[in-house]
Amino acid sequence: MKKWFAVIGDPIAQSMSPTMHEAWLQQNEVDASYIPIHVPRGTVEEAVRSLKTLGCSGWNVTVPHKEAIIPYLDEIDPLAEAMQAVNTVVVKEGRLHGYNTDGVGFVASLRETFPEVSTDAAVLIVGAGGAAKGISYALCRDGFRNMTIANRTYETAEQLSDQLNVSAMTIQEAEQQLAQFDIIVQTTSVGMVHSQEGSPLDVSRLKRGTIVADIIYNPLQTELMKQAEALGGKTMNGIGMFVHQGAIAFQHWLNIQPNTEQMTARIRQQLGGNSC
């Protein structure tokens, strides 16, 4: 039977995952399909049951289902369990295995873009939601320990920082102390197309040479990135993270390493950026 894969979320029409995975399937001559499926909030259990019944070989999970799907899986990877968030499901002999490739994808993109980065760097994570969890856990696992979680609601930042044994502060405190950080990772939706406009952080105290990574990739350059570059910061958008997390999922499903470099250029070009 022909294999098929999917991505579930609410909303789902904006997802570029089908474009990416369909291209990789064709490039690697895999006889399979990848489709987007709209799964409304509160219907994850029914969706999982249907996907399994219909013979789906695996699927990606996007907002708002990364936490809600966990009770309906048979096994969870230790990293995903620690984060309590799953973005990739693999079907093995009828059992559902959950993974989280978001954070690992971010780390791969960071090291690819800035190979000189040191694990001694002082890192500020802006936000404390699902994306922040994935990235901060993956950074810790990669050896980064000098980390601070900043969120508008301090209690939320503190919950995540306690799990990781790192520091926590409010956004306002982070803005005042911004010059002490070497890497800033923006994980909120502020600045995304069709979402909140502007920047989630006042970067006027940014020190020159600081790496500012925004996990948003549409638009290619957020207001935060523009402001950071104007102050001498080095910037990175979320395309690399998106491609690398997808590539790791592809490997989980098919044991094939897809071409991430070509895909990064293709998505950048599709979003109106320079493909070079």
Side-chain angles (χ1 to χ4, degrees), residues 93-104:
E93 298 179 351
R95 293 178 62 80
L96 307 183
H97 298 250
Y99 300 86
N100 192 302
T101 68
D102 284 333
V104 181

Side-chain angles (χ1 to χ4, degrees), residues 5-74:
F5 303 91
V7 56
I8 65 171
D10 181 22
I12 199 61
Q14 84 292 346
S15 176
M16 295 192 71
S17 290
T19 298
M20 179 167 65
H21 285 286
E22 280 285 349
W24 280 338
L25 289 170
Q26 291 177 17
Q27 288 171 9
N28 290 281
E29 299 181 342
V30 177
D31 185 20
S33 299
Y34 185 103
I35 62 173
I37 300 176
H38 178 223
V39 174
R41 289 176 183 267
T43 65
V44 173
E45 182 177 9
E46 295 93 323
V48 170
R49 188 163 54 242
S50 297
L51 286 163
K52 190 173 181 180
T53 300
L54 293 172
C56 187
S57 300
W59 60 90
N60 290 128
V61 185
T62 188
V63 292
H65 305 315
K66 294 184 181 184
E67 296 177 0
I69 197 169
I70 290 175
Y72 311 112
L73 304 178
D74 299 305

